[in-house]
């Protein structure tokens, strides 16, 4: 954009110089020719920049599926094998087709999901992705957006602790067998945050004073099988862990699950969380009894 503005200014200067020296018109011609030459050089630089940063890639826009990649390519590009990808798409209920909300274009569900995985796994530009999937850059962007929207909407119901209700006593037993000092503890709760660009509107609500940056915050429950059992967010950068816990309504949901199971169940979190009948936390304060300190030290290893 700055190069194009400079080119326009040079063109205007060249035109004005033609009549700027009425007493010596040859001098005006020399200046006008010089500015025209500089304008031509700007054109050449602009073309070079377009070829380098936004090169043209010839694509056929033919839909790509799992069958178009061999096993090594699937592992290298998407971090999953063929059968794992099929199982993952079945679990996430990826539909056969996606419809882009803006253009109304129809995309193959497998292809859109593979684009999502590749963009999350790698750092390629749209040009590189176009060469991998044989799709235009606009198509790559639309497929990524529709697949990401689907996965995010699915997580609102698919990543809930209620789906693991029958397994919670088994999780507590497994942790106990592996030395967990807190009986009936089946998982761990914590908050996390991610950097975002400074919002144009209401940036104060996204600013986190502790990390000194604009953030979005999430709450997750991790289970002994290394999976996220419950996910809540996004929340603003100023939302603390206790407020996220209240907004997620995890405590009343967990109390209901405890009644359904018929035995005690606990989550374990850091000292920022409020202690209650289904949530144990690390001790808080400067004077901590020795037994609580030992328990906190032991629990920190999990």
């Amino acid at each position: 954009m700055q190069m194009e503005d400079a080119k326009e200014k040079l063109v205007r200067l060249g035109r004005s110089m033609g009549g700027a020296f009425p007493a010596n018109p040859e001098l005006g011609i020399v200046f006008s020719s010089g500015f025209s030459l500089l304008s031509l050089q700007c054109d050449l630089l602009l073309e070079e920049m377009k070829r380098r940063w936004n090169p043209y890639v010839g694509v056929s826009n033919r839909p790509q599926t799992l069958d178009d990649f061999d096993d090594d390519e699937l592992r290298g590009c998407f971090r999953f094998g063929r059968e794992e990808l099929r199982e993952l798409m079945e679990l996430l209920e990826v539909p056969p087709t996606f419809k882009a909300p803006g253009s109304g274009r129809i995309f193959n569900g497998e292809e859109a999901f593979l684009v999502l995985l590749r963009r999350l796994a790698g750092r390629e530009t749209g040009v590189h992705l176009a060469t991998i999937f044989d799709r235009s850059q606009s198509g790559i962007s639309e497929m990524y957006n529709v697949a990401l929207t689907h996965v995010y909407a699915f997580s609102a119901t698919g990543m809930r602790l209620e789906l693991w209700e029958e397994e919670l006593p088994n999780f507590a037993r497994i942790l106990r067998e592996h030395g967990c000092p807190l009986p009936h503890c089946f998982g761990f709760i914590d908050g996390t945050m991610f950097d975002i660009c400074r919002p144009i509107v209401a940036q104060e609500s996204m600013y986190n004073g502790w990390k000194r940056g604009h953030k979005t915050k999430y709450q997750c429950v991790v289970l002994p099988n290394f999976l996220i059992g419950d996910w809540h967010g996004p929340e603003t950068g100023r939302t603390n862990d206790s407020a996220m816990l209240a907004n997620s309504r995890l405590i009343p949901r967990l109390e209901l699950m405890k009644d359904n199971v018929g035995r005690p169940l606990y989550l374990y979190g850091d000292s920022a969380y409020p202690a209650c009948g289904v949530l144990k936390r690390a001790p808080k304060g400067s004077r901590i009894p020795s037994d609580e300190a030992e328990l906190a030290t032991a629990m920190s290893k999990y």
Side-chain angles (χ1 to χ4, degrees):
M1 191 65 183
Q2 294 178 350
M3 185 68 71
E4 292 177 350
D5 292 341
K7 174 195 167 184
E8 292 178 0
K9 291 179 181 179
L10 289 172
V11 171
R12 289 197 298 268
L13 284 171
R15 291 172 181 172
S16 62
M17 285 298 173
F21 303 96
N24 192 354
E26 291 82 4
L27 185 60
I29 294 173
V30 171
F31 274 104
S32 178
S33 300
F35 283 117
S36 297
L37 181 59
L38 290 174
S39 176
L40 180 60
Q41 291 177 344
C42 284
D43 281 332
L44 296 175
L45 286 174
L46 280 171
E47 292 298 326
E48 178 64 24
M49 291 172 64
K50 289 178 180 179
R51 285 195 299 269
R52 178 174 298 181
W53 299 108
N54 192 23
Y56 172 78
V57 178
V59 295
S60 64
N61 285 320
R62 183 181 63 86
Q64 303 282 324
T65 63
L66 290 175
D67 297 331
D68 294 302
F69 300 91
D70 59 37
D71 294 337
D72 293 336
E73 288 176 333
L74 290 176
R75 282 285 180 189
C77 289
F78 310 110
R79 299 185 178 181
F80 293 97
R82 192 178 306 275
E83 297 304 321
E84 293 169 341
L85 284 169
R86 288 198 172 99
E87 182 180 1
L88 186 59
M89 286 188 286
E90 182 180 355
L91 292 173
L92 293 175
E93 299 179 3
V94 175
T97 59
F98 284 110
K99 182 177 181 180
S103 63
R105 297 170 66 182
I106 304 298
F107 297 106
N108 181 276
E110 278 190 11
E111 183 181 22
F113 185 67
L114 292 177
V115 169
L116 172 66
L117 291 179
R118 186 58 207 162
R119 283 200 62 177
L120 294 177
R123 295 177 176 270
E124 292 94 349
T125 63
V127 174
H128 295 124
L129 291 173
T131 59
I132 294 174
F133 292 97
D134 200 21
R135 284 279 195 174
S136 64
Q137 296 180 50
S138 61
I140 293 289
S141 179
E142 287 183 306
M143 283 191 287
Y144 172 77
N145 288 332
V146 294
L148 182 63
T149 301
H150 171 79
V151 171
Y152 180 77
F154 180 84
S155 67
T157 56
M159 297 180 68
R160 286 294 176 263
L161 205 56
E162 286 80 358
L163 299 177
W164 299 94
E165 181 177 314
E166 297 180 357
E167 298 295 330
L168 298 184
N170 293 330
F171 290 152
R173 176 181 56 80
I174 292 171
L175 284 176
R176 190 65 172 170
E177 290 175 355
H178 284 75
C180 179
L182 185 64
H184 309 298
C185 175
F186 67 89
F188 305 89
I189 183 173
D190 200 2
T192 185
M193 63 182 72
F194 298 97
D195 293 327
I196 61 171
C197 296
R198 182 184 185 276
I200 298 176
V201 179
Q203 64 88 17
E204 297 88 353
S205 64
M206 306 306 295
Y207 186 80
N208 184 277
W210 177 42
K211 293 294 186 178
R212 297 185 179 182
H214 295 88
K215 313 281 184 178
T216 55
K217 300 189 72 174
Y218 298 85
Q219 171 188 281
C220 63
V221 173
V222 181
L223 300 175
N225 57 4
F226 302 105
L227 296 179
I228 295 177
D230 199 87
W231 180 267
H232 173 74
E235 294 275 2
T236 63
R238 300 178 64 178
T239 307
N240 57 38
D241 290 347
S242 180
M244 278 200 298
L245 179 65
N247 294 340
S248 68
R249 297 190 56 81
L250 180 61
I251 297 302
R253 289 163 46 209
L254 190 53
E255 289 175 344
L256 180 60
M257 284 184 276
K258 182 186 73 171
D259 295 338
N260 294 338
V261 172
R263 64 181 65 185
L265 292 172
Y266 303 110
L267 279 174
Y268 188 82
D270 58 34
S271 58
Y273 290 101
C276 63
V278 291
L279 176 60
K280 303 296 183 181
R281 71 174 188 185
K284 193 174 185 179
S286 57
R287 296 182 178 180
I288 302 174
S290 58
D291 56 340
E292 293 186 10
E294 292 176 0
L295 177 63
T297 302
M299 291 299 294
S300 66
K301 299 177 181 179
Y302 293 88

